[in-house]
Amino acid sequence: IWIFHGFYAEEVLVGNLATMSTSERIKAIQKMPETMKKKREIRNKVLKEITKKSKHHSTQFSGCAQCLQGAVVSFRRFGNTLSEYFHLLRFWHKALKIIGAEFGTSVLSYFIFLKWLLTFNIFSFLINFSFITVPQFVAAEPNNLSFTGLELFTGAGYFQQTVLYYGFYTNATISKIENGPSYNMQLAYIFTVGIYFVTCFLILLFSMAKSFCRNFVNPQTYSGNASKLLCTWDFNITNEKAVKLKQKNLSTQIKEDLTEVNREVLNFSVTERVVRTVIHLVSWIASLGTAVAACAGVYFLSINNLKLFVKGHKNDLENQAAMLVLPIVASLLNAFIPFFYSWLGHLEKFQTPGHHVYITIIRNIVLKISIVGILCYYWINIVSASESQCWETLVGQDIYRLVLVDFVFCLLGSFFGEFLRRIIGTTVCVSLGLPEFDIGRNVLDLIYAQTLTWIGILFSPLLPGIQMISFSIVFYVKKVSLTMNCQPPRKVWRTAQMTTSFTFLLFFPSFVGVLSVIGVTVWRLKPSEECGPFRGLPSMYAAVSKWIEILENYTASKWVVWIYHNLITSVLFFFILSTVALIITYLYWQIIKGRKTVTKLLRKQILN
């Protein structure tokens, strides 16, 4: 009887699922408290039931409708089969699981952040290559410069007359066939870059909101201590290696949660508090003074760098080698000053590793963003007003060298900072032991590199492709260096909120600063007269205004003109939009506060 009852209940379930829409059916199956194997069996039975019904009513449909119905079912089956095996193709999934199990979520957060930045560069490279570079190949002229190999390091010489830089792109309307469809390179250039930055802005906002909600608003929903111990084991895992890896991962997460719960609050005497405060003040004065001195050195070197450019575009070995002085000095400052900041952090003796990491990150972000800010001031106010024939290409070459040298120093940092440190700690001075992975310094290196890439997109459209390759190499180098040279953190601590901090730092000041630089360049600066797609215009944005004037003569395009005048160029529209956003943010924050208050009251009632 029980067997018959179970069979009948399953038949009723299959019949009900067959009547649902595709999205409703998928959600219903996902919510079932069954194993993955059982869910797949139910899904296959539902698909068979749908196929039977379609054959039963085949007489009511025409031949075309039957073919369409069969194609839909086949496509649905193909999609379901593809989704089953899609998890096997997830990027670096196995490597991330191993890192999380061996070194904890603090180190894992760095590699997840690196992978996330890589997707930004892949997306940027694809759209730039598709909508800017490929059309330029049609109108490209032959390159008469000789290739010596030094251009790979300096970015000058042969590369000046390639699609790598802004100055090579034409300002003409490209048309392969006479009286055929044409391609406006000016509009394609500015709209491609603009749409990419708008997309990045929305992705960053969504990621910050999602991470903030998960880690700050209701963290217990996602990281319950009891649920990890009792409810997170996947009984479909049968492979011995996978079982051991899952055990290590859960063990590390539970240790992190217990450390967070059992954290002791140290009570210091008045004298100890005064001494600690003095140490903190001296450390901050030393760190800020170092950042100011580094910025001054970069500024004077950049002025000297411009003189080399203005001398002429000669393929002289000494001139091209001298161009590497600025990026090498900037990378040296970014490489060695963070070690000084880490030493200051150890001197201050913070109560938790999290405080040490966050303070180190703040000091590093001040240093790196200050250096980038000085370089942006130099590019916008000095290079753009120089006597160079194509100042945009000069900026692109500067950024190319900075990105390349920063990548080289990142690899050298893994060798000297981790490999040699392991040799010293295991042979020369055994008391030092193995080094720990410096999360703050490595994360800020990624943010610095991504900031340079975002600035360089306007002057070197293919720069994201170079950064894409460098990030891929950095991932594997850091992974190998981590497993061979580093030890897990001595103090286990939970870092669920660290990903939110990384995303926020990427958004502000990095992305917001880049938008400011791009905005000034597009709206205020005059393009070069002899190169680039915007030559001869008072500003890059003038290409859009000129296009709108042309559209005003066409009745079918009046709606585009109306949107441009009443929304895009309207100060009132953006004021209303900002007001609505602030109101929504305020209401959302009040809801969060109310939810927290209710949660506290419920906890008190339960305890009572």
Side-chain angles (χ1 to χ4, degrees):
I1 293 173
W2 283 106
I3 294 173
F4 176 77
H5 182 268
F7 177 77
Y8 176 76
E10 185 173 327
E11 288 294 324
V12 173
L13 176 63
V14 171
N16 292 334
L17 291 173
T19 59
M20 296 180 182
S21 63
T22 304
S23 59
E24 291 176 348
R25 185 166 58 251
I26 292 173
K27 291 179 181 179
I29 294 175
Q30 286 177 347
K31 292 179 180 179
M32 290 180 183
E34 302 286 350
T35 62
M36 290 298 298
K37 183 178 180 181
K38 184 66 176 177
K39 289 180 181 180
R40 289 169 185 164
E41 291 178 358
I42 294 174
R43 185 202 61 202
N44 293 332
K45 288 181 179 179
V46 172
L47 292 177
K48 288 181 180 178
E49 184 68 20
I50 294 173
T51 306
K52 288 179 181 178
K53 288 183 178 181
S54 63
K55 290 181 179 179
H56 179 70
H57 297 287
S58 60
T59 55
Q60 300 178 7
F61 298 97
S62 61
C64 295
Q66 291 180 22
C67 293
L68 181 62
Q69 184 73 10
V72 170
V73 174
S74 300
F75 182 77
R76 187 181 298 129
R77 287 180 177 176
F78 173 75
N80 292 329
T81 305
L82 192 64
S83 63
E84 290 180 11
Y85 296 99
F86 186 73
H87 69 280
L88 299 175
L89 303 176
R90 281 184 289 182
F91 212 33
W92 296 331
H93 179 66
K94 184 178 179 181
L96 293 175
K97 289 183 68 175
I98 294 173
I99 292 170
E102 296 287 343
F103 297 91
T105 57
S106 57
V107 178
L108 177 63
S109 61
Y110 164 80
F111 288 91
I112 292 175
F113 187 65
L114 173 57
K115 176 186 172 183
W116 192 58
L117 290 181
L118 181 62
T119 58
F120 270 108
N121 289 284
I122 292 174
F123 171 67
S124 176
F125 172 75
L126 290 177
I127 64 170
N128 286 354
F129 186 78
S130 301
F131 297 103
I132 298 178
T133 304
V134 171
Q136 177 62 31
F137 284 134
V138 178
E141 298 179 358
N143 191 344
N144 298 321
L145 299 177
S146 58
F147 182 77
T148 60
L150 191 62
E151 293 88 348
L152 294 173
F153 300 98
T154 64
Y158 179 83
F159 284 158
Q160 289 179 200
Q161 300 299 322
T162 63
V163 292
L164 182 61
Y165 295 120
Y166 164 94
F168 183 71
Y169 290 85
T170 182
N171 65 333
T173 300
I174 301 174
S175 179
K176 190 70 175 177
I177 305 173
E178 293 186 6
N179 299 324
S182 58
Y183 195 83
N184 193 320
M185 180 56 73
Q186 290 181 344
L187 296 179
Y189 203 100
I190 195 169
F191 281 146
T192 301
V193 174
I195 290 172
Y196 168 72
F197 278 112
V198 170
T199 305
C200 288
F201 178 77
L202 296 176
I203 291 173
L204 286 172
L205 281 183
F206 175 78
S207 300
M208 282 194 300
K210 182 179 178 182
S211 183
F212 179 80
C213 181
R214 174 176 296 178
N215 298 318
F216 288 90
V217 177
N218 195 11
Q220 293 300 324
T221 303
Y222 299 92
S223 59
N225 297 327
S227 63
K228 283 184 180 176
L229 185 61
L230 302 175
C231 307
T232 56
W233 186 259
D234 187 358
F235 288 93
N236 287 322
I237 299 177
T238 56
N239 184 272
E240 185 178 355
K241 290 183 179 180
V243 169
K244 290 182 179 179
L245 184 61
K246 185 71 174 179
Q247 288 174 343
K248 284 185 178 180
N249 213 323
L250 289 176
S251 174
T252 304
Q253 292 181 23
I254 292 171
K255 287 178 183 178
E256 292 170 351
D257 290 336
L258 292 176
T259 304
E260 190 77 13
V261 172
N262 299 326
R263 186 176 60 188
E264 296 181 1
V265 179
L266 301 178
N267 295 320
F268 298 100
S269 63
V270 177
T271 306
E272 289 175 335
R273 289 179 182 177
V274 172
V275 172
R276 288 175 65 85
T277 303
V278 171
I279 292 174
H280 288 320
L281 288 175
V282 171
S283 298
W284 274 106
I285 292 171
S287 62
L288 293 176
T290 306
V292 171
C295 291
V298 169
Y299 177 75
F300 288 113
L301 273 176
S302 61
I303 298 298
N304 183 60
N305 187 56
L306 180 62
K307 294 178 181 178
L308 293 175
F309 276 124
V310 177
K311 281 183 180 179
H313 298 291
K314 299 179 181 179
N315 284 327
D316 184 22
L317 184 63
E318 293 184 1
N319 281 346
Q320 293 200 34
M323 293 176 186
L324 293 172
V325 174
L326 174 63
I328 288 175
V329 170
S331 296
L332 282 172
L333 293 173
N334 284 322
F336 286 102
I337 293 179
F339 286 107
F340 173 65
Y341 290 165
S342 297
W343 178 77
L344 289 177
H346 290 295
L347 188 67
E348 292 172 284
K349 295 181 180 179
F350 293 99
Q351 294 186 30
T352 64
H355 291 162
H356 183 191
V357 171
Y358 284 126
I359 294 298
T360 304
I361 285 177
I362 292 172
R363 289 169 179 168
N364 277 284
I365 199 70
V366 169
L367 169 69
K368 294 179 183 294
I369 295 301
S370 299
I371 291 176
V372 173
I374 289 295
L375 290 173
C376 290
Y377 174 83
Y378 155 69
W379 292 326
I380 291 175
N381 293 280
I382 299 176
V383 177
S384 62
S386 65
E387 300 175 356
S388 173
Q389 294 181 349
C390 191
W391 64 267
E392 295 91 347
T393 296
L394 298 187
V395 174
Q397 291 175 0
D398 260 345
I399 298 175
Y400 172 90
R401 286 189 288 270
L402 285 167
V403 169
L404 185 66
V405 175
D406 178 72
F407 166 68
V408 173
F409 271 77
C410 183
L411 300 182
L412 293 177
S414 297
F415 178 77
F416 290 102
E418 295 167 0
F419 175 71
L420 291 184
R421 169 69 173 76
R422 177 178 70 87
I423 299 297
I424 294 172
T426 54
T427 57
V428 180
C429 186
V430 182
S431 60
L432 291 175
L434 294 175
E436 293 185 15
F437 189 79
D438 194 337
I439 302 169
R441 178 174 58 84
N442 284 283
V443 166
L444 267 299
D445 287 342
L446 295 180
I447 294 178
Y448 172 75
Q450 187 60 41
T451 304
L452 291 176
T453 305
W454 275 335
I455 297 173
I457 284 176
L458 189 64
F459 309 103
S460 179
L462 296 185
L463 192 62
I466 299 172
Q467 195 65 274
M468 179 179 66
I469 297 172
S470 68
F471 277 166
S472 301
I473 297 173
V474 165
F475 184 93
Y476 286 106
V477 170
K478 290 292 183 182
K479 174 181 172 293
V480 172
S481 178
L482 176 71
T483 54
M484 292 182 62
N485 304 320
C486 299
Q487 65 173 339
R490 293 185 181 92
K491 294 182 180 180
V492 182
W493 54 294
R494 189 168 63 89
T495 56
Q497 298 172 352
M498 184 167 283
T499 305
T500 308
S501 304
F502 293 166
T503 310
F504 178 77
L505 289 174
L506 185 66
F507 179 77
F508 181 84
S510 176
F511 186 76
V512 174
V514 170
L515 288 182
S516 303
V517 174
I518 296 297
V520 171
T521 305
V522 171
W523 269 274
R524 299 294 183 186
L525 298 185
K526 181 178 176 58
S528 299
E529 294 287 345
E530 301 180 9
C531 70
F534 303 101
R535 66 189 79 174
L537 296 176
S539 66
M540 294 183 182
Y541 187 73
V544 179
S545 303
K546 186 178 179 181
W547 176 60
I548 293 296
E549 292 177 359
I550 296 173
L551 291 181
E552 288 178 350
N553 300 323
Y554 297 94
T555 307
S557 302
K558 290 292 184 182
W559 63 275
V560 179
V561 179
W562 185 90
I563 291 174
Y564 176 78
H565 289 297
N566 294 279
L567 298 181
I568 297 177
T569 60
S570 174
V571 178
L572 179 61
F573 170 74
F574 285 102
F575 174 76
I576 295 173
L577 191 65
S578 302
T579 305
V580 172
L582 289 174
I583 293 173
I584 293 174
T585 304
Y586 174 77
L587 293 175
Y588 180 68
W589 184 252
Q590 291 299 319
I591 292 171
I592 290 171
K593 290 175 66 178
R595 187 180 296 176
K596 286 185 175 181
T597 304
V598 171
T599 304
K600 289 180 180 179
L601 291 174
L602 288 174
R603 285 179 180 175
K604 287 182 179 179
Q605 291 179 0
I606 291 171
L607 291 173
N608 292 333

